[in-house]
Amino acid sequence: MTDFSQRFIFADTDIRGEIVSLEQSLQEILGNHNYPAVVESLLGEFAAAAILLGSTIKFEGSLTLQARSDGEVPVIMAEVTHDKTVRAIARDCQDASSDDFRVLLAKGTLAITIDPKHGQRYQGIVPLEGANLGECLGHYFEQSEQLKTHVKLSADNQRSCGILLQQLPVGKVGDAELREQQWEHISQLVGTTRPDEMLAVSSHQMLYRLFHEDKVEMFAAHDVSFACSCSRERVLNAVATLGEEEARKALAQTGAISMNCDFCNSQYRVEEIDLSSIFNSDNSQTVH
Ligand SMILES: [Zn+2]
């Protein structure tokens, strides 16, 4: 299993953790795109982060992590579903070259959107303040959920990995000072890890290196895979929202409406016969 996420807890503490490692799915995300190297790494981090954040989703639906900025990468996003599929994309960033996160995503904002299939959509937006995506997510959780959170991410164009630690609300440990000590100890261990060290070993080796003196309980790992939610049905729905007049105009210009999914490169072609069924225009008596 090369692509997985896995939950763990530290015994006798209120601290939970999650690790993620992506190889095959990262390569599918990056495939056919020719992104600059710095964008490939950033996409890897976004994909890993989305998996970490989405690991607690208990409903059918999706979680999207999206940044917009005035920097070298204007838009970047990763989306995960409850069944642990991931897709990700960056736009308009062919000239990106900085290795500084603050230049790539200068004056950026980070939006986390949780979209249940049934129920209310939720979105939180924070300024991108931090030297890397992990730090920004730490700030996000402290502001929005008041939960101490430490996120560390690392990626190149072959592999992406991440670790999330979170101090849960008071549970097993009633003593405030002990809670604080435990958090300091465990988050400091992660804080000392360099990104290149994370990529050099497997996620399980990394956990062992960091926490072999602490009691860690691992839960079952979950497979992660690349998948795209685009479909012909969605394309036809998008054409329907154009309205018949606009759609027919677009079709008349080129003979067919072509659409290409940016995430997975699928090609969709909408022709005259499709418009007829979308707009039901074989019924000339329809009054609009
Ligand atoms: Zn697609």
Side-chain angles (χ1 to χ4, degrees):
M1 194 194 303
T2 59
D3 293 39
F4 68 94
S5 74
Q6 190 167 11
R7 178 184 163 88
F8 58 95
I9 54 169
F10 294 91
D12 310 317
T13 75
D14 293 326
I15 300 169
R16 77 170 184 100
E18 183 88 23
I19 47 170
V20 59
S21 181
L22 307 177
E23 291 179 37
Q24 178 69 30
S25 49
L26 176 65
Q27 284 152 37
E28 289 183 62
I29 285 168
L30 301 179
N32 305 319
H33 278 284
N34 287 320
Y35 291 118
V38 290
V39 177
E40 291 185 325
S41 301
L42 195 61
L43 269 167
E45 292 195 6
F46 266 76
I51 295 281
L52 290 174
L53 301 190
S55 60
T56 53
I57 293 184
K58 299 240 172 12
F59 50 82
E60 267 188 67
S62 64
L63 177 145
T64 308
L65 183 64
Q66 173 167 292
R68 290 181 175 274
S69 84
D70 293 344
E72 293 181 353
V73 182
V75 182
I76 183 166
M77 64 102 84
E79 183 186 86
V80 296
T81 59
H82 62 279
D83 49 5
K84 303 222 184 280
T85 67
V86 60
R87 62 178 194 164
I89 197 165
R91 295 186 207 274
D92 303 325
C93 54
Q94 278 316 309
D95 299 325
S97 60
S98 176
D99 55 7
D100 185 344
F101 177 81
R102 292 184 174 102
V103 175
L104 291 174
L105 294 174
K107 295 186 190 159
T109 53
L110 184 68
I112 297 174
T113 309
I114 293 168
D115 207 350
K117 203 168 169 188
H118 311 285
Q120 194 79 34
R121 182 185 159 117
Y122 165 83
Q123 188 172 61
I125 300 180
V126 288
L128 272 171
E129 285 166 349
N132 54 56
L133 180 61
E135 272 186 25
C136 296
L137 290 167
H139 294 156
Y140 173 86
F141 278 102
E142 266 170 52
Q143 280 174 30
S144 66
E145 322 246 330
Q146 268 99 49
L147 292 176
K148 284 186 180 165
T149 305
H150 198 117
V151 182
K152 196 112 182 185
L153 302 161
S154 186
D156 57 20
N157 63 4
Q158 294 298 311
R159 182 169 173 236
S160 160
C161 57
I163 180 167
L164 176 144
L165 297 176
Q166 195 162 57
Q167 189 179 49
L168 300 168
V170 176
K172 292 179 201 154
V173 185
D175 183 70
E177 202 175 322
L178 180 59
R179 264 174 71 84
E180 193 51 36
Q181 274 174 12
Q182 289 175 334
W183 175 254
E184 280 301 309
H185 164 67
I186 285 169
S187 65
Q188 258 176 24
L189 287 175
V190 173
T192 57
T193 315
R194 292 200 321 269
D196 58 321
E197 290 175 327
M198 287 175 71
L199 283 177
V201 296
S202 77
S203 295
H204 290 121
Q205 284 169 331
M206 187 187 69
L207 273 192
Y208 180 76
R209 270 193 201 178
L210 290 172
F211 303 123
H212 60 275
E213 288 177 356
D214 299 276
K215 262 195 269 172
V216 175
E217 294 171 16
M218 303 298 295
F219 289 68
H222 294 279
D223 284 322
V224 176
S225 60
F226 171 83
C228 190
S229 53
C230 71
S231 66
R232 183 155 182 85
E233 188 188 349
R234 284 194 173 192
V235 168
L236 295 180
N237 285 340
V239 172
T241 60
L242 287 176
E244 183 165 7
E245 198 179 333
E246 283 303 312
R248 288 205 179 277
K249 240 191 254 173
L251 190 103
Q253 280 163 7
T254 51
I257 303 172
S258 298
M259 288 199 190
N260 185 25
C261 175
D262 291 341
F263 286 94
C264 68
N265 262 325
S266 293
Q267 309 268 350
Y268 295 97
R269 200 177 146 86
V270 179
E271 297 173 345
E272 171 64 37
I273 189 166
D274 301 309
L275 291 198
S276 298
S277 67
I278 293 171
F279 299 109
N280 196 21
S281 55
D282 52 335
N283 178 1
S284 57
Q285 299 306 307
T286 304
V287 178
H288 292 284

